[in-house]
Amino acid sequence: MSDDVELLVLGPWLPIPTISLSHIQAPALGNHVTIYCQNQYWHPAVKFYLQKPGDQVPQHLMETDGDEGKFTISNVSWKDAGKYSCSFCPEFQPFLLSNTSDPLELLIIDPGLPKPNISLSPGRRAVPGSNITITCWVKDPVETFYLWKEQGQTKTQSMKPNESVAIFSLSKVQLDDGGNYNCIYRPHAAFLNSSEPSSSVQLLVQATPEVPVPVSVPDYTNINIIRLAVGGLILLLLTYMMIADHLFWKEQNKMNISPVHSSSSHPYEN
């Protein structure tokens, strides 16, 4: 009796999964690396498959928790280098298979290659909406540069012959573009080796500082002028009243004082 064979039917309407590496963008010989396959479907996946063209085992079953599959290579060797892709079977129809993801290239670090250099322009601080340029370069011409962000995002730039400088443009950066970046390069297309990563540069994207709204302060100038004018009038009126009162009593005193006349008659006068 032959072994059972699993027959899977392609479901072209299923969303294509995404594939990524663990935080190590290019492992060194003997290290470990994990390949992840993310399900973009709203139903959980019952199985994830990892494919590598030309491998003795063309399809590997990945560990899964329903939303993500993972496959760990514990002792990296040169035979592990190459292109990988993945697919999944949804839980509600386990014999349907999605289309494969875009390929992921696994390179192996060659310690004999010089490290590349990296720089940020115009600087490592930016505000949302601004443009940033990340430049990677090395002395000798190379085939491809890879720009790597700490959370697994990768950008690639193929080089023209005799070029050794790659310029990566980040247009209208947002807060989630902030983080640590480094780059590696692949010297020749025929080989699956890469340099060690460059030193990291940190991009800080800061929210635009809020302009403080000026607090409306009541203008007391006119009010104070009015108060001073009223106060001055009251003071002037009081002064006038005091002077008038003083003059009034002075006149009264003059009128109350009458002159004394003495008229005496002789006693013996008839």
Short mmCIF file of all heavy atoms in Angstrom, two decimals, residues 37-71:
data_model
loop_
_atom_site.label_atom_id
_atom_site.label_comp_id
_atom_site.label_asym_id
_atom_site.label_seq_id
_atom_site.Cartn_x
_atom_site.Cartn_y
_atom_site.Cartn_z
N CYS A 37 5.92 33.68 7.83
CA CYS A 37 4.91 33.83 6.78
C CYS A 37 3.64 34.36 7.45
O CYS A 37 3.11 33.71 8.36
CB CYS A 37 4.65 32.48 6.10
SG CYS A 37 3.56 32.59 4.65
N GLN A 38 3.20 35.52 7.03
CA GLN A 38 2.05 36.17 7.67
C GLN A 38 0.80 36.01 6.81
O GLN A 38 0.82 36.30 5.61
CB GLN A 38 2.31 37.67 7.91
CG GLN A 38 3.32 37.97 9.00
CD GLN A 38 4.76 37.91 8.53
OE1 GLN A 38 5.03 38.12 7.35
NE2 GLN A 38 5.67 37.60 9.43
N ASN A 39 -0.27 35.56 7.47
CA ASN A 39 -1.55 35.37 6.82
C ASN A 39 -2.29 36.71 6.75
O ASN A 39 -2.51 37.36 7.76
CB ASN A 39 -2.36 34.34 7.62
CG ASN A 39 -3.79 34.19 7.15
OD1 ASN A 39 -4.10 34.51 6.01
ND2 ASN A 39 -4.66 33.71 8.02
N GLN A 40 -2.70 37.11 5.54
CA GLN A 40 -3.43 38.37 5.35
C GLN A 40 -4.94 38.14 5.25
O GLN A 40 -5.68 39.07 4.97
CB GLN A 40 -2.93 39.08 4.08
CG GLN A 40 -1.44 39.33 4.05
CD GLN A 40 -0.97 40.26 5.15
OE1 GLN A 40 -1.59 41.29 5.40
NE2 GLN A 40 0.10 39.88 5.84
N TYR A 41 -5.35 36.89 5.49
CA TYR A 41 -6.77 36.56 5.36
C TYR A 41 -7.46 36.73 6.69
O TYR A 41 -6.86 36.59 7.76
CB TYR A 41 -6.89 35.11 4.87
CG TYR A 41 -8.22 34.73 4.26
CD1 TYR A 41 -8.89 35.61 3.42
CD2 TYR A 41 -8.77 33.49 4.51
CE1 TYR A 41 -10.09 35.25 2.84
CE2 TYR A 41 -9.98 33.11 3.92
CZ TYR A 41 -10.64 34.00 3.10
OH TYR A 41 -11.83 33.65 2.54
N TRP A 42 -8.78 37.01 6.63
CA TRP A 42 -9.50 37.23 7.87
C TRP A 42 -9.83 35.92 8.59
O TRP A 42 -10.14 35.91 9.77
CB TRP A 42 -10.77 38.03 7.62
CG TRP A 42 -11.77 37.39 6.69
CD1 TRP A 42 -11.72 37.37 5.33
CD2 TRP A 42 -12.96 36.68 7.05
NE1 TRP A 42 -12.79 36.70 4.81
CE2 TRP A 42 -13.58 36.27 5.85
CE3 TRP A 42 -13.57 36.37 8.27
CZ2 TRP A 42 -14.77 35.55 5.82
CZ3 TRP A 42 -14.76 35.66 8.24
CH2 TRP A 42 -15.35 35.24 7.04
N HIS A 43 -9.70 34.78 7.88
CA HIS A 43 -9.83 33.47 8.51
C HIS A 43 -8.43 33.00 8.94
O HIS A 43 -7.46 33.22 8.21
CB HIS A 43 -10.41 32.44 7.54
CG HIS A 43 -11.91 32.38 7.56
ND1 HIS A 43 -12.63 31.98 8.65
CD2 HIS A 43 -12.83 32.67 6.60
CE1 HIS A 43 -13.92 32.03 8.38
NE2 HIS A 43 -14.07 32.45 7.14
N PRO A 44 -8.30 32.34 10.08
CA PRO A 44 -6.99 31.79 10.43
C PRO A 44 -6.57 30.69 9.47
O PRO A 44 -7.40 30.07 8.80
CB PRO A 44 -7.20 31.25 11.86
CG PRO A 44 -8.67 31.05 11.98
CD PRO A 44 -9.31 32.08 11.12
N ALA A 45 -5.27 30.46 9.39
CA ALA A 45 -4.73 29.43 8.51
C ALA A 45 -4.48 28.15 9.31
O ALA A 45 -4.09 28.19 10.48
CB ALA A 45 -3.44 29.91 7.87
N VAL A 46 -4.74 27.04 8.68
CA VAL A 46 -4.50 25.76 9.35
C VAL A 46 -3.10 25.23 9.04
O VAL A 46 -2.51 24.50 9.84
CB VAL A 46 -5.59 24.73 8.95
CG1 VAL A 46 -5.49 24.37 7.48
CG2 VAL A 46 -5.52 23.49 9.83
N LYS A 47 -2.56 25.64 7.88
CA LYS A 47 -1.22 25.20 7.50
C LYS A 47 -0.50 26.31 6.75
O LYS A 47 -1.12 27.07 6.00
CB LYS A 47 -1.28 23.95 6.60
CG LYS A 47 -1.73 22.68 7.31
CD LYS A 47 -1.81 21.51 6.33
CE LYS A 47 -2.32 20.26 7.02
NZ LYS A 47 -2.45 19.12 6.06
N PHE A 48 0.82 26.38 6.95
CA PHE A 48 1.69 27.25 6.17
C PHE A 48 2.77 26.37 5.53
O PHE A 48 3.30 25.46 6.19
CB PHE A 48 2.36 28.31 7.06
CG PHE A 48 1.47 29.44 7.46
CD1 PHE A 48 0.73 29.38 8.63
CD2 PHE A 48 1.37 30.58 6.66
CE1 PHE A 48 -0.08 30.42 9.00
CE2 PHE A 48 0.56 31.63 7.05
CZ PHE A 48 -0.18 31.56 8.21
N TYR A 49 3.11 26.69 4.30
CA TYR A 49 4.15 25.94 3.59
C TYR A 49 5.25 26.89 3.14
O TYR A 49 4.99 28.00 2.67
CB TYR A 49 3.57 25.23 2.37
CG TYR A 49 2.58 24.13 2.70
CD1 TYR A 49 1.22 24.37 2.67
CD2 TYR A 49 3.02 22.84 3.04
CE1 TYR A 49 0.30 23.37 2.97
CE2 TYR A 49 2.13 21.84 3.34
CZ TYR A 49 0.76 22.11 3.31
OH TYR A 49 -0.14 21.11 3.62
N LEU A 50 6.50 26.44 3.31
CA LEU A 50 7.67 27.21 2.88
C LEU A 50 8.28 26.51 1.67
O LEU A 50 8.55 25.30 1.73
CB LEU A 50 8.68 27.32 4.01
CG LEU A 50 9.93 28.16 3.73
CD1 LEU A 50 9.57 29.63 3.59
CD2 LEU A 50 10.96 27.97 4.84
N GLN A 51 8.49 27.25 0.59
CA GLN A 51 9.06 26.67 -0.63
C GLN A 51 10.42 27.28 -0.94
O GLN A 51 10.62 28.48 -0.72
CB GLN A 51 8.13 26.90 -1.83
CG GLN A 51 6.77 26.23 -1.74
CD GLN A 51 5.71 27.12 -1.14
OE1 GLN A 51 5.87 28.33 -1.08
NE2 GLN A 51 4.61 26.52 -0.69
N LYS A 52 11.33 26.43 -1.42
CA LYS A 52 12.65 26.88 -1.88
C LYS A 52 12.98 26.13 -3.16
O LYS A 52 13.20 24.91 -3.12
CB LYS A 52 13.71 26.63 -0.81
CG LYS A 52 15.11 27.11 -1.21
CD LYS A 52 16.06 26.99 -0.02
CE LYS A 52 17.45 27.50 -0.39
NZ LYS A 52 18.25 26.47 -1.12
N PRO A 53 12.99 26.82 -4.29
CA PRO A 53 13.27 26.14 -5.56
C PRO A 53 14.64 25.46 -5.54
O PRO A 53 15.62 26.00 -5.03
CB PRO A 53 13.25 27.28 -6.60
CG PRO A 53 12.42 28.35 -5.96
CD PRO A 53 12.68 28.25 -4.49
N GLY A 54 14.67 24.24 -6.06
CA GLY A 54 15.92 23.50 -6.14
C GLY A 54 16.28 22.76 -4.88
O GLY A 54 17.31 22.06 -4.84
N ASP A 55 15.49 22.90 -3.82
CA ASP A 55 15.78 22.20 -2.57
C ASP A 55 15.38 20.74 -2.70
O ASP A 55 14.46 20.38 -3.45
CB ASP A 55 15.01 22.87 -1.42
CG ASP A 55 15.66 22.58 -0.06
OD1 ASP A 55 16.60 21.76 -0.03
OD2 ASP A 55 15.23 23.18 0.92
N GLN A 56 16.06 19.87 -1.93
CA GLN A 56 15.70 18.45 -1.94
C GLN A 56 14.29 18.24 -1.41
O GLN A 56 13.56 17.36 -1.86
CB GLN A 56 16.71 17.65 -1.09
CG GLN A 56 18.10 17.59 -1.71
CD GLN A 56 19.06 16.77 -0.87
OE1 GLN A 56 18.73 16.34 0.25
NE2 GLN A 56 20.26 16.53 -1.39
N VAL A 57 13.90 19.05 -0.42
CA VAL A 57 12.52 19.02 0.08
C VAL A 57 11.86 20.29 -0.45
O VAL A 57 12.07 21.38 0.08
CB VAL A 57 12.48 18.98 1.62
CG1 VAL A 57 11.04 18.93 2.11
CG2 VAL A 57 13.27 17.79 2.14
N PRO A 58 11.06 20.20 -1.52
CA PRO A 58 10.55 21.40 -2.17
C PRO A 58 9.56 22.19 -1.32
O PRO A 58 9.34 23.37 -1.56
CB PRO A 58 9.87 20.86 -3.43
CG PRO A 58 9.54 19.44 -3.12
CD PRO A 58 10.61 18.97 -2.18
N GLN A 59 8.98 21.54 -0.32
CA GLN A 59 7.97 22.23 0.48
C GLN A 59 8.09 21.81 1.94
O GLN A 59 8.02 20.63 2.25
CB GLN A 59 6.58 21.92 -0.07
CG GLN A 59 5.47 22.76 0.51
CD GLN A 59 4.24 22.74 -0.38
OE1 GLN A 59 4.06 23.64 -1.19
NE2 GLN A 59 3.42 21.73 -0.25
N HIS A 60 8.28 22.81 2.82
CA HIS A 60 8.40 22.54 4.25
C HIS A 60 7.12 23.00 4.95
O HIS A 60 6.61 24.09 4.68
CB HIS A 60 9.60 23.28 4.86
CG HIS A 60 10.91 22.90 4.24
ND1 HIS A 60 11.67 21.86 4.70
CD2 HIS A 60 11.59 23.43 3.17
CE1 HIS A 60 12.78 21.76 3.97
NE2 HIS A 60 12.75 22.70 3.03
N LEU A 61 6.64 22.17 5.88
CA LEU A 61 5.50 22.56 6.70
C LEU A 61 6.00 23.44 7.84
O LEU A 61 6.92 23.08 8.55
CB LEU A 61 4.79 21.33 7.24
CG LEU A 61 3.48 21.55 7.99
CD1 LEU A 61 2.43 22.15 7.06
CD2 LEU A 61 2.96 20.24 8.59
N MET A 62 5.39 24.61 8.00
CA MET A 62 5.84 25.57 9.01
C MET A 62 5.01 25.44 10.28
O MET A 62 3.83 25.05 10.24
CB MET A 62 5.73 27.00 8.47
CG MET A 62 6.42 27.24 7.15
SD MET A 62 6.17 28.91 6.48
CE MET A 62 7.31 29.86 7.49
N GLU A 63 5.62 25.77 11.41
CA GLU A 63 4.85 25.88 12.65
C GLU A 63 3.89 27.05 12.53
O GLU A 63 4.20 28.06 11.91
CB GLU A 63 5.79 26.11 13.84
CG GLU A 63 6.81 25.02 14.08
CD GLU A 63 7.74 25.36 15.23
OE1 GLU A 63 7.35 26.17 16.09
OE2 GLU A 63 8.87 24.84 15.26
N THR A 64 2.72 26.93 13.15
CA THR A 64 1.73 28.00 13.00
C THR A 64 0.90 28.19 14.26
O THR A 64 0.68 27.25 15.03
CB THR A 64 0.79 27.71 11.81
OG1 THR A 64 -0.17 28.76 11.70
CG2 THR A 64 0.04 26.40 12.01
N ASP A 65 0.43 29.44 14.43
CA ASP A 65 -0.54 29.75 15.48
C ASP A 65 -1.86 30.25 14.86
O ASP A 65 -2.72 30.77 15.56
CB ASP A 65 0.02 30.81 16.44
CG ASP A 65 0.35 32.12 15.74
OD1 ASP A 65 0.11 32.22 14.50
OD2 ASP A 65 0.84 33.05 16.40
N GLY A 66 -2.00 30.08 13.53
CA GLY A 66 -3.22 30.51 12.84
C GLY A 66 -3.03 31.78 12.04
O GLY A 66 -3.56 31.91 10.95
N ASP A 67 -2.29 32.73 12.59
CA ASP A 67 -2.06 34.00 11.90
C ASP A 67 -0.67 34.09 11.27
O ASP A 67 -0.43 34.92 10.39
CB ASP A 67 -2.24 35.18 12.86
CG ASP A 67 -3.66 35.30 13.35
OD1 ASP A 67 -4.58 35.05 12.56
OD2 ASP A 67 -3.86 35.64 14.53
N GLU A 68 0.23 33.24 11.72
CA GLU A 68 1.61 33.32 11.26
C GLU A 68 2.24 31.94 11.29
O GLU A 68 2.01 31.14 12.20
CB GLU A 68 2.38 34.28 12.18
CG GLU A 68 3.81 34.53 11.78
CD GLU A 68 4.47 35.53 12.73
OE1 GLU A 68 4.69 35.17 13.91
OE2 GLU A 68 4.75 36.65 12.29
N GLY A 69 3.04 31.68 10.26
CA GLY A 69 3.84 30.46 10.25
C GLY A 69 5.30 30.82 10.40
O GLY A 69 5.73 31.91 10.00
N LYS A 70 6.07 29.92 11.00
CA LYS A 70 7.50 30.21 11.13
C LYS A 70 8.31 28.94 10.90
O LYS A 70 7.88 27.83 11.21
CB LYS A 70 7.81 30.83 12.50
CG LYS A 70 7.60 29.93 13.69
CD LYS A 70 8.01 30.67 14.97
CE LYS A 70 7.86 29.76 16.20
NZ LYS A 70 8.30 30.44 17.43
N PHE A 71 9.50 29.15 10.35
CA PHE A 71 10.41 28.05 10.06
C PHE A 71 11.81 28.50 10.46
O PHE A 71 12.31 29.51 9.96
CB PHE A 71 10.36 27.70 8.57
CG PHE A 71 11.19 26.51 8.20
CD1 PHE A 71 10.71 25.21 8.38
CD2 PHE A 71 12.46 26.68 7.67
CE1 PHE A 71 11.47 24.12 8.03
CE2 PHE A 71 13.24 25.59 7.33
CZ PHE A 71 12.75 24.30 7.51
#
